[in-house]
Amino acid sequence: MYKKALQPLIDNSTVILIMGTMAGEQSIAKQQYYANKGNLFWKIMFAIFEEEFSDLYEDRKALLTKYKIGLWNVLQSCKREGSSDACNYRRNDKRF
């Protein structure tokens, strides 16, 4: 099945860019990075910065912005089954 990457979470203040391969099924469906409840990314980020954890995506994006962190995928799109990283792909070639 053909999958299209999420838009980058990047702005002019971004200093650190965390790159993933491609968003998983749940992330694509919700249009949210690391949306799978089993993924510990957000819990780890809140813990690193000693901030109170939030399930709200707007709070999560605000945390990244506060610490000048951006998120983006290496792939622009791919054809794959489920959330596997094994796929036919098209890489992102956008320059910042």
Side-chain angles (χ1 to χ4, degrees):
M1 175 180 270
Y2 179 79
K3 317 282 182 179
K4 189 169 189 255
L6 302 177
Q7 291 297 309
L9 290 183
I10 300 169
D11 64 23
N12 291 335
S13 69
T14 300
V15 174
I16 298 167
L17 182 58
I18 298 173
M19 301 288 292
T21 306
M22 182 69 178
E25 291 283 313
Q26 291 179 38
S27 293
I28 292 171
K30 293 181 178 182
Q31 289 296 291
Q32 298 179 1
Y33 281 90
Y34 304 103
N36 186 320
K37 295 269 186 198
N39 190 304
L40 299 177
F41 176 83
W42 294 112
K43 289 183 181 182
I44 291 168
M45 294 304 290
F46 278 88
I48 287 170
F49 295 110
E50 299 179 344
E51 300 271 357
E52 185 176 340
F53 179 74
S54 176
D55 279 324
L56 300 175
Y57 193 59
E58 291 304 314
D59 292 344
R60 293 171 173 192
K61 292 192 303 184
L63 176 83
L64 297 180
T65 300
K66 179 178 178 179
Y67 293 101
K68 301 178 181 185
I69 299 170
L71 299 177
W72 199 31
N73 293 305
V74 173
L75 302 183
Q76 178 181 34
S77 61
C78 71
K79 187 175 181 180
R80 70 173 183 204
E81 294 299 320
S83 295
S84 172
D85 281 339
C87 62
N88 294 324
Y89 62 88
R90 180 174 180 191
R91 66 178 171 79
N92 269 315
D93 56 6
K94 189 173 184 178
R95 306 276 188 241
F96 293 97

